[in-house]
Amino acid sequence: MFKKILIANRGEIAVRVIRACHEMGIAAVAVYSDVDRASLHVRKADEAYPIGAPEASESYLNIEKILDVAERSGTEAIHPGYGFLSENAKFARACAGVGVKFIGPTAEAMEAMGSKTRARQAMEAAGIPIVPGTSRGLESLEQAGQAATRIGYPVMLKAAAGGGGKGMRLVHAPEDLKSALEEARSEAERSFGDGEIYIEKVIVNPRHIEMQILADEHLKTVYLGERECSLQRRHQKVVEEAPSPIVDSGMRCRMGEVAVRVAQAAGYTNAGTVEFLVDEQKNFYFLEMNTRLQVEHPVTELVTGLDLVHLQIRIAAGEPLPFQQDDVKIRGHAIECRIYAEDPDNNYFPSPGKITLLLAPSGPGIRRDSGMYEGWTVPMDYDPLLAKLIGYGTDREQAIGRLTRALSEYFVGGIKTNISLFRRILRHPDFRAAKIDTGFLDRLLKLKEDVGVEAPTDPRTVEVAVIAAGMFAALGPAAAGAGERGLENGSAGGNSKAASNWKSTAHREALR
Ligand code: MV4
């Protein structure tokens, strides 16, 4: 087993990996940019090295600097977390080049999945169900027109290098194809430096369901069940859960076996995720494979009882998987909320700043993976994910109840967060009934605008957060719940409707 691991990341995921290292008796080395000197991952690591300016290209994406720290610290392996260098084949290759083990798949497996057209070709050859469409880049408008006619409108144009909805265009009719293709191509070129576009049949009201797999370096691959990730906003996941409310054991088994075949066809090792689009008849189609540990891995850990980071490290050290497929059992239900530093009243715009007061939930069935602490200033240079709050229970209803309870205990003072959004999602009848297709969040957020709440432009909103924090400190949780619910509605400062709502909520809370 390794004695020392470098974590090439920051925030909650760096803390998550450091914890696994310490549980396994491994020393953890942190790297940090200039704005992360006081960040939690630096405090929790055994050693920490500065790697430069805040821009990711100068620090967390800088292969040379990270490998230099690896050498100076005597690191044997590097865990990349998610984002940054986690799916960078060049980095995986560079690690191997200096004799440091990359905790993840090989550069070749990453490359096989990096291009969607390439992955579709490989999966087609392996007999994996893919969304009907082309598996090569479109070479002309005529070719696109022929393919679209064959598939039938509406069609979806997608970027081969894509992800996150960039370079994606829905085309309803032949006359819209030309402009859509031009737009998709230029967006893909701008975002990825690669304008390759292919075409797919449109899946109506799809669900996004993904299967976790683990593969050791001795040709054994297992699946660990699915995650339902249909609750997204602008192609950003917001809430994830395991198991999916629409997947029964038969479907899980079929999907899991397909996911294992996907991994084997790519010569995949370590932890990975196979994404599927699922249609209204529950047919599932391979979409892409994510060659990293994902943000939402905790929901799988809670329902399987397995520690994915421990297993990643053991696999990277050459150990065989310590269990069989039959040993994997799904037990209970877990739901994750991604807590972001963003302003619900300003179109969920990132909202960095200093955390003046932090009251964090715990208790039965609650897991919190966080990168924040009271007094820490959230830098504006990176993804604003602050923490993940995960509720676990014997069934979905208990998980929702515990998560709702924990969200009402959560208080983050000094900055805006999206915590209020989760209360609205979790109490919604459609969410409770698990009617969560990909349009759910858009419908919910539109509803809010209809209520006529204006976005605040008033700097006093910040002041209100501090006052609310003070109220909590002085008066306890009833005041905090009220304070935060007030902020959800645009807070005081000129908005009398919101102010009165704040007061009435406070009154209700006080009477509970
Ligand atoms: C699709 C689709 C419908 N048909 N592909 C893929 C990447 C993801 N971010 C959005 N993707 C979609 N691909 C075909 N052929 C609909 C979506 C989609 C979506 C998928 C899952 C969860 C939320 C979504 C929101 C909008 C569009």
Side-chain angles (χ1 to χ4, degrees):
M1 183 42 68
F2 309 115
K3 289 186 198 66
K4 191 181 270 191
I5 290 175
L6 184 151
I7 297 95
N9 215 303
R10 62 179 301 283
E12 69 85 21
I13 194 60
V15 173
R16 165 74 187 89
V17 177
I18 292 167
R19 284 177 169 149
C21 289
H22 289 165
E23 287 159 10
M24 297 174 79
I26 299 167
V29 179
V31 290
Y32 62 93
S33 74
D34 294 346
V35 288
D36 271 334
R37 180 172 292 274
S39 287
L40 195 59
H41 74 286
V42 175
R43 295 184 163 203
K44 292 219 181 287
D46 301 287
E47 301 167 34
Y49 296 80
I51 48 170
E55 300 91 281
S57 60
E58 294 294 313
S59 49
Y60 300 106
L61 281 174
N62 193 303
I63 294 175
E64 221 169 279
K65 282 182 185 166
I66 289 166
L67 289 183
D68 177 59
V69 172
E71 196 191 340
R72 281 193 285 145
S73 59
T75 286
E76 292 160 281
I78 296 184
H79 196 299
Y82 52 69
F84 295 125
L85 292 168
S86 62
E87 297 185 275
N88 187 311
K90 204 174 136 204
F91 181 58
R93 216 166 255 132
C95 288
V98 296
V100 172
K101 181 74 183 185
F102 177 83
I103 302 173
T106 60
E108 292 71 32
M110 275 184 205
E111 281 163 349
M113 291 299 178
S115 155
K116 288 185 171 183
T117 42
R118 214 177 136 192
R120 279 173 65 87
Q121 286 163 34
M123 294 313 134
E124 217 168 6
I128 302 294
I130 58 174
V131 182
T134 64
S135 295
R136 300 195 180 276
L138 297 169
E139 275 156 20
S140 65
L141 180 61
E142 292 69 45
Q143 197 193 20
Q146 281 162 14
T149 305
R150 183 168 50 79
I151 294 162
Y153 286 88
V155 295
M156 193 74 98
L157 300 179
K158 291 190 177 182
K166 288 234 175 70
M168 200 165 94
R169 286 290 183 286
L170 180 62
V171 188
H172 288 283
E175 60 267 28
D176 302 332
L177 189 62
K178 183 171 188 284
S179 62
L181 184 59
E182 282 163 5
E183 281 172 33
R185 219 184 264 296
S186 77
E187 196 172 304
E189 188 68 55
R190 246 181 298 125
S191 308
F192 314 111
D194 176 0
E196 185 182 341
I197 301 292
Y198 69 103
I199 195 164
E200 276 183 8
K201 175 182 144 81
V202 171
I203 308 295
V204 180
N205 295 330
R207 285 183 180 236
H208 173 132
I209 299 180
E210 57 188 31
M211 187 62 70
Q212 177 72 51
I213 65 102
L214 275 179
D216 66 18
E217 297 178 356
H218 309 277
L219 300 175
K220 188 153 94 185
T221 307
V222 296
Y223 64 88
L224 304 183
E226 78 287 355
R227 294 183 286 260
E228 165 75 64
C229 303
S230 297
L231 275 193
Q232 307 192 0
R233 188 179 166 272
R234 297 185 175 169
H235 305 293
Q236 278 270 33
K237 293 169 187 162
V238 173
V239 174
E240 303 102 342
E241 59 184 290
S244 165
I246 67 147
V247 174
D248 59 22
S249 57
M251 183 173 172
R252 178 168 307 118
C253 188
R254 284 182 284 121
M255 232 175 167
E257 282 172 4
V258 168
V260 166
R261 277 166 50 215
V262 168
Q264 286 170 337
Y268 199 87
T269 50
N270 217 282
T273 297
V274 180
E275 290 188 0
F276 296 98
L277 270 190
V278 181
D279 69 16
E280 290 172 309
Q281 289 74 45
K282 300 195 189 177
N283 298 304
F284 57 85
Y285 306 92
F286 168 80
L287 202 59
E288 59 187 272
M289 183 165 188
N290 299 321
T291 58
R292 60 173 189 273
L293 181 72
Q294 290 195 238
V295 176
E296 60 271 28
H297 76 277
V299 294
T300 299
E301 295 188 319
L302 288 168
V303 299
T304 58
L306 297 167
D307 189 303
L308 285 170
V309 180
H310 283 220
L311 289 162
Q312 281 195 293
I313 293 170
R314 290 171 67 168
I315 288 168
E319 293 183 20
L321 274 173
F323 54 84
Q324 314 289 328
Q325 184 65 60
D326 283 352
D327 300 324
V328 179
K329 297 274 185 287
I330 307 299
R331 190 162 168 267
H333 201 98
I335 306 178
E336 173 179 281
C337 296
R338 295 190 183 192
I339 314 292
Y340 280 101
E342 49 184 35
D343 184 355
D345 297 315
N346 188 18
N347 210 18
Y348 294 88
F349 205 76
S351 168
K354 184 170 176 174
I355 296 168
T356 53
L357 180 67
L358 182 61
L359 297 154
S362 56
I366 291 301
R367 169 171 169 179
R368 186 169 31 83
D369 282 23
S370 168
M372 60 179 158
Y373 62 88
E374 195 172 292
W376 179 59
T377 298
V378 184
M380 58 176 189
D381 307 83
Y382 311 105
D383 182 281
L385 182 69
L386 295 171
K388 301 178 310 208
L389 188 67
I390 308 113
Y392 175 69
T394 47
D395 54 29
R396 190 168 187 267
E397 204 176 308
Q398 191 183 43
I400 291 173
R402 284 174 162 169
L403 195 48
T404 304
R405 181 270 297 165
L407 284 162
S408 72
E409 292 176 13
Y410 220 154
F411 186 80
V412 185
I415 58 165
K416 297 293 188 76
T417 77
N418 63 346
I419 290 173
S420 59
L421 172 66
F422 300 114
R423 297 202 189 102
R424 298 174 58 210
I425 293 170
L426 294 180
R427 72 179 177 223
H428 196 287
D430 286 353
F431 181 83
R432 298 244 166 185
K435 286 190 218 153
I436 32 176
D437 69 67
T438 50
F440 175 86
L441 255 191
D442 285 340
R443 289 196 297 274
L444 186 78
L445 293 173
K446 273 204 195 82
L447 209 74
K448 192 185 177 191
E449 283 159 17
D450 292 344
V451 176
V453 179
E454 299 148 45
T457 48
D458 191 330
R460 279 175 294 181
T461 51
V462 177
E463 215 173 296
V464 172
V466 176
I467 293 166
M471 279 176 66
F472 186 101
L475 304 171
E484 220 183 10
R485 256 159 231 160
L487 290 179
E488 174 187 344
N489 286 320
S491 95
N495 188 337
S496 62
K497 194 167 147 198
S500 75
N501 182 29
W502 182 25
K503 276 186 216 152
S504 68
T505 312
H507 186 66
R508 261 201 318 280
E509 290 285 346
L511 292 176
R512 271 211 315 203

